[in-house]
Amino acid sequence: MFSTLVRELGKTSAIDLIGELDAHTSVQLERTIQEQIEKKRVHIIINCAKLSYISSAGLGVFMAFIDDVRAEGGDIKFSNMSDKIFQVFDLLGFPLLYEIFKEEQEAVEKFNAPTP
């Protein structure tokens, strides 16, 4: 079972991931992120507080969209990961490619911070 919930936080979209993200459920996340890009909402926070499992197919969704999002001047940031989920991201080197925050509010503040 997997679902997403999109919340608009000013110019930022927070996407809550709920349940297990794998090869079968990753299509739903692809659709959700694509909708945000089409709406030009490219400041995206992926909130993992309710994510219980992620497979390589799930991780692949973020890799598939990051170039498109960054080309539009946005980014994908992550927050609220359990230690178990963070270990999967860390094992595959995601912390080198993406910013990961303990709390969603930190990611929101980073998007709202003036760029140097």
Side-chain angles (χ1 to χ4, degrees), residues 47-85:
N47 187 317
C48 301
K50 296 180 181 172
L51 181 65
S52 57
Y53 171 82
I54 187 165
S55 72
S56 59
L59 291 167
V61 172
F62 306 116
M63 295 302 294
F65 285 106
I66 193 60
D67 288 342
D68 293 342
V69 168
R70 288 180 176 162
E72 294 289 332
D75 201 5
I76 298 174
K77 302 181 188 304
F78 295 87
S79 72
N80 301 80
M81 285 185 186
S82 67
D83 289 344
K84 179 178 133 187
I85 297 295

Side-chain angles (χ1 to χ4, degrees), residues 14-56:
I15 302 174
D16 295 340
L17 306 184
I18 304 162
E20 298 182 356
L21 179 57
D22 59 20
H24 299 289
T25 59
S26 62
V27 175
Q28 184 175 348
L29 178 58
E30 288 175 4
R31 221 177 297 126
T32 301
I33 293 175
Q34 186 63 49
E35 287 170 3
Q36 296 307 302
I37 294 171
E38 288 170 4
K39 293 177 183 176
K40 304 292 185 195
R41 297 190 59 84
V42 291
H43 290 181
I44 298 170
I45 298 170
I46 304 294
N47 187 317
C48 301
K50 296 180 181 172
L51 181 65
S52 57
Y53 171 82
I54 187 165
S55 72
S56 59

